[in-house]
């Protein structure tokens, strides 16, 4: 068979068998993907779960798809962007918030798991226009540089103080080890926590 006959043979074979040309196949696959995407969106809307949260003292009700993390609920649905998305894998601590007074990585916590819980973010620590003692201590000790990790550091430290476990500097370092500071402000962070807890 001559090479020039190949396209003709291909057309005849496709006509006889009903096979799609590469372009037709691509078009049909694209249509199938779009139909699947539309079905996925419809399912997501249908599968939303009403979730009640008390965030910084304010009761909020959100309709969320089940896989929405607490971090995304706070940032994307409530516009509380003080809580930072760092690694999104629970390794850096930038997303730390308090849930019923306990510090958690909000990137690893599904929002529906916290239904009915009291959540405190960095925006909720100050009271009546006065900074939380930890916020003031971080300023006093210059315990940040770029500031990206600072909300998580402060929320984690607030949880640490509430646990009554902030002892000496070594203990503070150990119990704050889940919060990373890429700028390396660790000595100042420890000093700030010691000031807030009333230890030199």
């Amino acid at each position: 068979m001559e090479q020039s006959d190949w396209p003709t043979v291909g057309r005849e074979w496709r006509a006889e068998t009903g096979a799609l040309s590469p372009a037709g196949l691509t078009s049909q696959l694209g249509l199938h993907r779009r139909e699947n995407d539309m079905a996925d969106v419809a399912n997501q809307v249908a599968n939303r779960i009403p979730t009640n949260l008390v965030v910084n003292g304010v009761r909020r009700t959100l309709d969320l798809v089940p896989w929405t993390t607490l971090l995304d609920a706070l940032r994307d649905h409530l516009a509380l962007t003080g809580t930072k998305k760092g690694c999104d894998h629970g390794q850096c601590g930038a997303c730390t918030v308090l849930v019923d007074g306990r510090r958690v990585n909000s990137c690893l916590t599904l929002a529906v798991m916290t239904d009915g819980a009291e959540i405190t973010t960095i925006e909720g620590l100050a009271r009546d226009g006065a900074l939380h003692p930890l916020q003031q201590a971080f300023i006093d000790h210059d315990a940040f540089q770029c500031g990206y990790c600072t909300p998580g550091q402060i929320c984690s430290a607030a949880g640490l103080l509430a646990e009554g476990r902030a002892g000496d500097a070594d203990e503070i370092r150990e119990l704050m080890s889940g919060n990373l500071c890429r700028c390396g402000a660790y000595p100042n962070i420890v000093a700030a926590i010691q000031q807030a807890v009333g230890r030199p």
Side-chain angles (χ1 to χ4, degrees):
M1 180 185 299
E2 296 292 331
Q3 188 169 352
S4 59
D5 293 335
W6 289 0
T8 304
V9 171
R11 281 196 298 273
E12 290 170 352
W13 178 79
R14 287 194 295 272
E16 291 172 5
T17 62
L20 289 171
S21 67
L25 183 60
T26 302
S27 174
Q28 186 146 326
L29 286 173
L31 178 61
H32 185 62
R33 276 197 298 271
R34 284 194 297 276
E35 288 172 349
N36 284 344
D37 290 345
M38 291 171 64
D40 287 345
V41 170
N43 287 335
Q44 288 179 24
V45 172
N47 292 329
R48 290 180 181 272
I49 298 173
T51 306
N52 298 297
L53 308 172
V54 180
V55 182
N56 299 328
V58 179
R59 184 169 295 280
R60 309 295 294 266
T61 300
L62 303 174
D63 287 327
L64 303 171
V65 291
W67 53 87
T68 304
T69 63
L70 179 57
L71 173 60
D72 288 339
L74 293 171
R75 290 181 59 84
D76 299 339
H77 295 268
L78 297 177
L80 294 171
T81 56
T83 305
K84 302 304 182 191
K85 181 176 281 197
C87 65
D88 213 21
H89 287 83
Q91 296 173 346
C92 72
C95 67
T96 304
V97 298
L98 302 176
V99 177
D100 290 333
R102 296 177 59 86
R103 47 197 176 143
V104 301
N105 289 330
S106 60
C107 74
L108 295 182
T109 306
L110 295 176
V112 294
M113 294 168 57
T114 61
D115 186 55
E118 292 196 13
I119 296 157
T120 304
T121 70
I122 190 68
E123 292 92 342
L125 287 178
R127 288 285 184 268
D128 301 322
L131 292 177
H132 186 281
L134 274 165
Q135 292 172 310
Q136 187 61 56
F138 267 64
I139 293 170
D140 293 345
H141 289 273
D142 197 22
F144 49 85
Q145 289 185 38
C146 78
Y148 196 81
C149 74
T150 305
Q153 297 276 2
I154 291 176
C155 283
S156 187
L160 181 63
L161 267 60
E163 294 163 12
R165 301 171 64 196
D168 59 20
D170 287 339
E171 188 175 9
I172 290 171
R173 286 189 198 96
E174 175 64 26
L175 295 172
M176 289 290 293
S177 62
N179 291 80
L180 303 182
C181 173
R182 296 189 185 278
C183 299
Y186 296 113
N188 303 34
I189 291 169
V190 171
I193 295 171
Q194 287 179 308
Q195 173 179 309
V197 81
R199 289 193 175 92

